[in-house]
């Protein structure tokens, strides 16, 4: 007589990872805000690591839970980090890059549960959250013109530069539903289906009185 069959443990899968990256931007433009021409140089280097871990838990054969922690980076654009100054005398805008900009980094958490349905359908519910550091924003100031910035224009000019905001946070929920009607509706209607999703997100950003 055989004993009772024990249930097979649900599989667990964890995939850790780490990807280092080093960046060293450098620019040497020629600035000419007035009739004077001068060379300026800006240099900066930084090293980042991107640890990542993923996990999958099979509650039932058609009910799967997933979790992931990841880190990402968004580097400043070339026009944002160049040391050059661009003067638009028509609009009165003066744009200067910031070689000291830091890259934007983010650490994300994703949790989800997925129910697989007949006829290749799926219903899922997920939570996501991100902690963002050094988000790049425009720093805009208005000032009176003069020989030092707009070739003697005495009107109001707009000084545009770029800076890093301290921290930003966001989190939210998302749902997804997909169902095919291949065995429900007759004939050509069997190729129809329905797909719906909904996302709710909340975010916040903090600024210092003087960002840089």
């Amino acid at each position: 007589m055989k004993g009772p069959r024990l249930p097979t443990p649900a599989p667990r899968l964890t995939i850790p990872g780490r990807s280092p990256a080093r960046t060293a931007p450098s620019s040497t433009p020629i600035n000419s805000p007035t009739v004077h021409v001068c060379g300026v140089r800006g240099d900066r280097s930084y090293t980042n690591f991107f640890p990542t871990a993923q996990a999958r838990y099979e509650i039932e054969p058609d009910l799967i839970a997933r979790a992931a922690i990841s880190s990402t980076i968004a580097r400043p654009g070339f026009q944002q980090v160049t040391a050059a100054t661009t003067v638009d005398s028509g609009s009165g805008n003066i744009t200067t890059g910031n070689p000291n900009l830091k890259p934007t980094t983010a650490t994300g958490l994703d949790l989800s549960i997925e129910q697989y349905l007949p006829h290749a359908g799926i219903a899922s519910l997920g939570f996501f959250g991100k902690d963002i550091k050094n988000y790049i924003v425009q720093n805009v100031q208005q000032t009176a013109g003069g020989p030092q910035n707009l070739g003697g224009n005495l009107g109001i000019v707009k000084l545009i530069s770029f800076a890093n905001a301290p921290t930003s946070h966001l989190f939210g929920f998302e749902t997804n539903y997909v169902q095919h009607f291949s065995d429900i509706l007759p004939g050509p209607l069997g190729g129809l289906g329905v797909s719906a999703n909904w996302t709710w997100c909340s975010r916040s950003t903090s600024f210092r009185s003087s960002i840089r």
Side-chain angles (χ1 to χ4, degrees):
M1 178 177 181
K2 296 184 180 179
R5 182 179 179 183
L6 297 178
T8 303
R12 299 172 183 262
L13 175 64
T14 302
I15 306 176
R18 183 181 66 179
S19 176
R22 178 173 176 79
T23 306
S26 176
S27 62
T28 311
I30 299 297
N31 266 1
S32 180
T34 61
V35 296
H36 304 288
V37 177
C38 61
V40 292
R41 182 179 178 86
D43 298 278
R44 183 177 181 85
S45 64
Y46 47 84
T47 301
N48 301 91
F49 291 89
F50 307 101
T52 299
Q54 301 177 14
R56 175 184 180 275
Y57 181 71
E58 185 178 297
I59 303 173
E60 294 180 0
D62 56 357
L63 184 62
I64 307 297
R66 303 179 189 273
I69 299 177
S70 60
S71 55
T72 56
I73 186 174
R75 297 177 177 85
F78 179 77
Q79 295 297 328
Q80 295 173 325
V81 295
T82 180
T85 296
T86 302
V87 176
D88 187 343
S89 58
S91 64
N93 292 342
I94 302 174
T95 305
T96 302
N98 183 0
N100 294 319
L101 279 179
K102 300 176 182 178
T104 300
T105 57
T107 301
L109 172 66
D110 293 275
L111 304 173
S112 67
I113 185 166
E114 304 170 349
Q115 175 70 58
Y116 294 95
L117 307 174
H119 316 300
I122 185 173
S124 65
L125 173 65
F127 166 84
F128 59 90
K130 281 187 180 294
D131 180 19
I132 305 172
K133 296 181 179 180
N134 298 317
Y135 187 74
I136 299 174
V137 297
Q138 275 193 349
N139 190 6
V140 181
Q141 301 177 6
Q142 286 188 330
T143 184
Q148 72 278 8
N149 51 33
L150 198 56
N153 190 323
L154 300 180
I156 300 299
V157 297
K158 184 181 295 185
L159 305 178
I160 303 174
S161 61
F162 303 92
N164 290 113
T167 57
S168 300
H169 308 277
L170 67 86
F171 69 93
F173 299 91
E174 57 185 357
T175 61
N176 181 48
Y177 176 77
V178 177
Q179 182 63 70
H180 299 280
F181 300 143
S182 56
D183 293 339
I184 301 176
L185 298 178
L189 297 179
L192 298 177
V194 62
S195 175
N197 59 77
W198 171 84
T199 301
W200 177 86
C201 180
S202 176
R203 65 184 185 273
S204 64
T205 304
S206 61
F207 293 93
R208 296 187 292 266
S209 58
S210 176
I211 56 179
R212 58 185 181 180

